[in-house]
Amino acid sequence: MSRKMLAVLLVMLLLPVGCAVTGEKLLPQIERRLAKLDGYTAECNVEIFTDESVQVYSVKQWHAFPSRWRVEVEAGEESQIFICDGRQIWVYQPSLGDYYRLEITETTRENAAPFLLYGYLQQLLEAESFTFRGEAELNGGAVYRVDYPGPLAGETVSLWLNRKSYLPEQMELSLEEKLLCRVKVKKSELNPDFSPDLFTFTPDGAGKVGAYCEIAPLTLEEAKKGWPGPVYLPAYLPGGTKLHAISRVLEAGREQLICVFRGDVPFTFIQAPANETGLFAGSRSREVVIGRNTGIYQQNAQDNLASLFWSADGRDFVLSGVLSLQELVKIAVSLFPDGQ
């Protein structure tokens, strides 16, 4: 054997061999890497797959460890903003001027922010089991692939992790091998300089509607106390969707009850005493039949966010979300007065 070959072999033997990532080492290495991070920013493309279409979103996120973050979700001209200042979570939809506040609890901690990369890592670290699939190729580079059970029965979350930062470069959510959602990270930055106002929220006209900003989540029983009349709830919910939070707000002298449903197809349900001015019909709205009532169905310009407005039994109702007209009507006609 030549001296040159012996030298190469000697160098190879001296190289560290303990740094190879295995299933046993994956979680401890993720925890050690996260402990060294002050935060990150990321821009992502998100695809939601339904039987009818593929809905596309643009997502920007800023996360200052441990507990301040901001996620902006855009679909054409529509947007929704989620802000956590470490003590509370604000959810704001600029086009509607609609916002509500959530106190931070175990259930609202990461679930309130969709597509948060750190949230996927937390799910992995807390999962009862996972499957490490070793190295994989993504966008011409090498990454680590790992799968773990999703939050609902039959779901699987797949992560493609950067080999240095361990932040996800791609996430896929599947239900019984049917793809539901894909998140692709376009670019990210570790330990950036954060502007302090990124993680604060001041509602427009805060002086006039101060009470609107101070509403904390309620239990269903708390929401019923003092509410004029029965509280309506849908008997039908799309698969995997559950009631997440309830708030009572005061706007223009009229109290409203906001129910936020989270899951595969999240949506918001609002009820309030009927407004004398009646329902407003925009340029992209049309009348639809909801049981024995007539309502207004409206989509945004990209046809990927929809709302249903109607009145019944002296109440105004609004359903909004990434749902088809058929699903919105199905939820609407299933309303029942809880406790009646």
Side-chain angles (χ1 to χ4, degrees):
M1 186 178 294
S2 69
R3 291 184 177 180
K4 186 174 182 180
M5 291 183 65
L6 284 172
V8 171
L9 285 173
L10 181 60
V11 170
M12 293 178 65
L13 289 171
L14 292 175
L15 287 174
V17 296
C19 60
V21 174
T22 64
E24 293 181 355
K25 296 180 179 180
L26 178 65
L27 299 190
Q29 290 197 19
I30 290 175
E31 291 179 328
R32 285 195 294 269
R33 188 66 184 98
L34 289 178
K36 295 179 180 179
L37 284 181
D38 296 325
Y40 68 91
T41 65
E43 295 184 18
C44 314
N45 286 333
V46 176
E47 298 171 292
I48 305 294
F49 300 89
T50 69
D51 292 334
E52 300 172 349
S53 64
V54 179
Q55 294 140 9
V56 181
Y57 301 87
S58 176
V59 176
K60 296 180 181 179
Q61 55 186 275
W62 300 258
H63 198 144
F65 291 169
S67 58
R68 293 182 301 155
W69 42 258
R70 180 188 184 102
V71 177
E72 298 182 359
V73 182
E74 295 185 355
E77 298 178 356
E78 299 293 331
S79 64
Q80 196 167 29
I81 301 172
F82 304 79
I83 299 173
C84 179
D85 61 9
R87 298 177 296 106
Q88 57 195 349
I89 299 168
W90 293 95
V91 183
Y92 174 51
Q93 191 161 342
S95 62
L96 297 179
D98 185 28
Y99 49 89
Y100 56 90
R101 184 176 69 90
L102 299 173
E103 294 290 345
I104 294 179
T105 66
E106 283 300 310
T107 56
T108 63
R109 184 184 58 187
E110 305 297 346
N111 295 333
F115 318 122
L116 192 66
L117 301 184
Y118 180 78
Y120 300 133
L121 291 180
Q122 283 297 106
Q123 289 180 8
L124 171 60
L125 292 172
E126 296 171 3
E128 294 183 0
S129 63
F130 68 92
T131 302
F132 180 59
R133 302 193 180 278
E135 288 193 3
E137 184 177 338
L138 182 69
N139 301 325
V143 293
Y144 296 128
R145 164 76 183 275
V146 60
D147 298 344
Y148 63 90
L152 300 177
E155 286 186 342
T156 300
V157 178
S158 300
L159 298 180
W160 285 257
L161 303 176
N162 184 283
R163 293 194 302 169
K164 293 183 178 180
S165 69
Y166 289 96
L167 282 180
E169 294 189 11
Q170 181 169 298
M171 185 284 299
E172 289 185 355
L173 173 65
S174 303
L175 177 62
E176 297 177 351
E177 300 185 353
K178 181 180 180 180
L179 184 60
L180 301 178
C181 174
R182 177 185 290 131
V183 177
K184 292 183 177 180
V185 178
K186 297 192 298 182
K187 62 179 182 179
S188 61
E189 180 183 355
L190 302 181
N191 298 329
D193 292 327
F194 293 110
S195 171
D197 59 2
L198 269 174
F199 310 110
T200 60
F201 176 72
T202 303
D204 293 335
K208 295 182 180 180
V209 290
Y212 194 93
C213 312
E214 298 300 327
I215 301 301
L218 306 171
T219 66
L220 182 57
E221 292 305 315
E222 289 172 337
K224 292 178 183 177
K225 291 179 180 179
W227 180 254
V231 171
Y232 288 83
L233 292 173
Y236 167 76
L237 295 175
T241 305
K242 297 180 181 179
L243 181 59
H244 175 70
I246 305 175
S247 294
R248 281 172 64 170
V249 302
L250 184 64
E251 184 179 19
R254 187 170 66 145
E255 203 168 22
Q256 300 181 2
L257 195 64
I258 301 176
C259 299
V260 179
F261 291 82
R262 296 287 187 225
D264 297 340
V265 279
F267 66 91
T268 301
F269 172 53
I270 300 174
Q271 54 193 296
N275 192 334
E276 295 180 359
T277 59
L279 300 176
F280 172 77
S283 60
R284 292 180 56 81
S285 61
R286 60 187 176 95
E287 288 190 353
V288 296
V289 176
I290 305 171
R292 294 177 294 176
N293 303 292
T294 299
I296 294 174
Y297 173 68
Q298 182 169 315
Q299 291 178 296
N300 68 336
Q302 288 70 40
D303 295 334
N304 51 20
L305 292 173
S307 296
L308 189 63
F309 307 81
W310 77 103
S311 297
D313 301 325
R315 295 286 184 270
D316 287 341
F317 301 104
V318 183
L319 277 171
S320 296
V322 186
L323 292 162
S324 66
L325 172 59
Q326 291 75 16
E327 283 289 274
L328 287 171
V329 171
K330 195 171 180 180
I331 295 171
V333 298
S334 76
L335 290 186
F336 70 96
D338 185 73
Q340 300 297 305

